[in-house]
Amino acid sequence: FSHVCEHMIWIGNTANKKDDDKYPQTKELMKQWDAAVKRMIEAEPTLRDMMTFIEVRRAALRWPHVDHIHLDEAWYKKLGNELLIPLIR
């Protein structure tokens, strides 16, 4: 294969500021999903060697949201510019 990634970055789930019965995403469920992904990565040597998990859930609790789970545009720009771009350079 050509143009195959040697390393992937898995960005964890953001977190809602408060739980709301209208939405299935809860703080606890987001935490459980992230833990399940981390366990999957750690359990599989091939994944462990080629993947980095970045936890963002706790930081997302303090950031402005545009809806129940999604953060504002500044979050995604900051994440890309300050965290992801330096990793790929």
Side-chain angles (χ1 to χ4, degrees), residues 1-64:
F1 295 100
S2 63
H3 307 295
V4 176
C5 294
E6 292 181 20
H7 197 85
M8 293 185 282
I9 299 169
W10 186 299
I11 299 173
N13 290 294
T14 58
N16 43 303
K17 282 198 179 255
K18 61 181 180 176
D19 289 339
D20 186 329
D21 291 340
K22 295 187 297 185
Y23 303 99
Q25 299 97 337
T26 64
K27 289 183 203 128
E28 183 57 32
L29 186 57
M30 298 296 99
K31 184 177 177 180
Q32 290 174 15
W33 285 353
D34 282 352
V37 169
K38 288 184 220 176
R39 283 192 305 273
M40 178 188 67
I41 292 168
E42 286 298 315
E44 177 57 48
T46 304
L47 289 178
R48 190 172 54 241
D49 293 343
M50 66 180 289
M51 192 168 288
T52 298
F53 183 92
I54 299 175
E55 151 93 55
V56 298
R57 185 178 37 80
R58 288 184 305 221
L61 289 171
R62 297 182 300 275
W63 200 274

Side-chain angles (χ1 to χ4, degrees), residues 61-80:
L61 289 171
R62 297 182 300 275
W63 200 274
H65 286 62
V66 294
D67 61 22
H68 180 68
I69 197 79
H70 298 99
L71 307 175
D72 69 5
E73 185 177 341
W75 165 269
Y76 299 102
K77 284 183 180 179
K78 190 171 185 70
L79 184 67

